[in-house]
Amino acid sequence: MDIYNLTTVTQFILTGLSDLPEVRYPLFVVFAIIYQVTLVGNGAILLAIATEKKLHTPMYYFLVNLSLLDIFCPSATVPKMLENLLTEQQSISFLGCAFQLYFLVALAGTEVFLLTVMAYDRYVAICFPLRYMLIMTKVHCIQLTAGTWAAGFLNSLLHTVSTFRLSFCKSNRVNQYYCDIPPVMALSCSSTYVAEMLVLVVAGILGISASLITFVSYIYIISTILKIQSVEGKHKAFSTCASHLLVVCLFYGTTILTYIRPSSSQHSPVRDRLISMLYGVITPMLNPMIYSLKNVEVKEALRRLLCHRACLQQL
């Protein structure tokens, strides 16, 4: 039941993807399969890079971090969603909601920064190939990666504290299948001005800066590739960044659909929640597929890994 009195909210009700009981179990099966494919796909990328010495380079070091994020991010929301679909218990504790929001925002923010670092890595590799190994040293790569994770989690801590310091004494029904800043903030019965300004200013500055660096990096990359005389050289240079470019477009495209769409009364809550699935569930599943299909080295490493496993099973 919703809570409309002045007592403190101790739990929230997560609105499911559908209230129709006849589609509850089909939805459980579909998203359980998607989640398993996500875990297996990203796990295969991690295993392939770990076992293939040729892939122990800065580019694939960053890809390892991306695969870890693509495992952790849906793991923050999908298991709880599957539990709710299976048991029809849609409640989540106040503390549980805070932790879910914290890790979701932290992991999403870290991915924004990591994609920017990966764009910088491709910029150095293509625009300064002779100095690449001098610039992208092991220590520098670790520093860049540590910086992305630290920035993502510190940024999330700021927003989580500002959101859950609000008073919640109206409805406790979150208009989403997971706890996120906008739907949780909408339930507050106190002023949300400061929290909203923090999201607008801090997240806006960090997000716009990261996207601009990524965009400018690819302008220089494309400009450098177009100056290459041979068709083979252009193809080889572009193939090293094609996978990352697709992942960037997919990530920012689904983020814009989820958070920056123009508001309209014609948008039903169920439709909004289905669109958010693109960002939180579908993208992490597609990323390993993009890298395994578009990247020749990853594709070969996965093929050797599967062949090795098949040979072991025959022994």
Side-chain angles (χ1 to χ4, degrees), residues 86-118:
L86 197 60
T87 63
E88 293 187 274
Q89 297 295 324
Q90 297 180 323
S91 63
I92 184 171
S93 67
F94 186 92
L95 190 61
C97 184
F99 274 112
Q100 188 181 66
L101 185 147
Y102 172 69
F103 283 108
L104 180 66
V105 174
L107 294 167
T110 302
E111 187 159 352
V112 171
F113 302 135
L114 181 63
L115 290 175
T116 303
V117 169
M118 294 174 77

Side-chain angles (χ1 to χ4, degrees), residues 201-243:
V201 175
V202 178
I205 291 174
L206 293 177
I208 291 172
S209 299
S211 59
L212 279 177
I213 293 172
T214 303
F215 180 70
V216 171
S217 296
Y218 270 100
I219 288 178
Y220 279 104
I221 289 170
I222 293 171
S223 176
T224 302
I225 291 175
L226 292 176
K227 292 177 183 178
I228 299 174
Q229 298 296 325
S230 66
V231 176
E232 183 181 352
K234 289 181 179 179
H235 181 268
K236 184 178 180 181
F238 184 73
S239 65
T240 63
C241 61
S243 299

Side-chain angles (χ1 to χ4, degrees), residues 57-180:
T57 62
M59 174 181 171
Y60 295 106
Y61 171 72
F62 296 131
L63 179 56
V64 164
N65 284 268
L66 181 62
S67 293
L68 287 173
L69 285 170
D70 285 339
I71 290 174
F72 296 153
C73 194
S75 296
T77 58
V78 175
K80 181 62 178 176
M81 180 187 70
L82 293 176
E83 178 189 345
N84 291 345
L85 286 171
L86 197 60
T87 63
E88 293 187 274
Q89 297 295 324
Q90 297 180 323
S91 63
I92 184 171
S93 67
F94 186 92
L95 190 61
C97 184
F99 274 112
Q100 188 181 66
L101 185 147
Y102 172 69
F103 283 108
L104 180 66
V105 174
L107 294 167
T110 302
E111 187 159 352
V112 171
F113 302 135
L114 181 63
L115 290 175
T116 303
V117 169
M118 294 174 77
Y120 168 73
D121 171 70
R122 292 300 83 207
Y123 161 74
V124 175
I126 293 174
C127 298
F128 305 99
L130 298 179
R131 297 173 56 192
Y132 178 70
M133 296 309 297
L134 296 175
I135 297 173
M136 302 303 294
T137 62
K138 183 177 180 180
V139 173
H140 190 43
C141 291
I142 293 174
Q143 289 173 340
L144 288 171
T145 307
T148 62
W149 286 85
F153 277 77
L154 288 174
N155 174 61
S156 179
L157 181 63
L158 176 66
H159 295 303
T160 304
V161 171
S162 67
T163 299
F164 283 91
R165 285 185 65 184
L166 299 171
S167 298
F168 298 97
C169 53
K170 296 191 295 186
S171 173
N172 66 337
R173 185 174 292 274
V174 179
N175 187 27
Q176 189 54 275
Y177 68 93
Y178 58 89
C179 290
D180 198 4

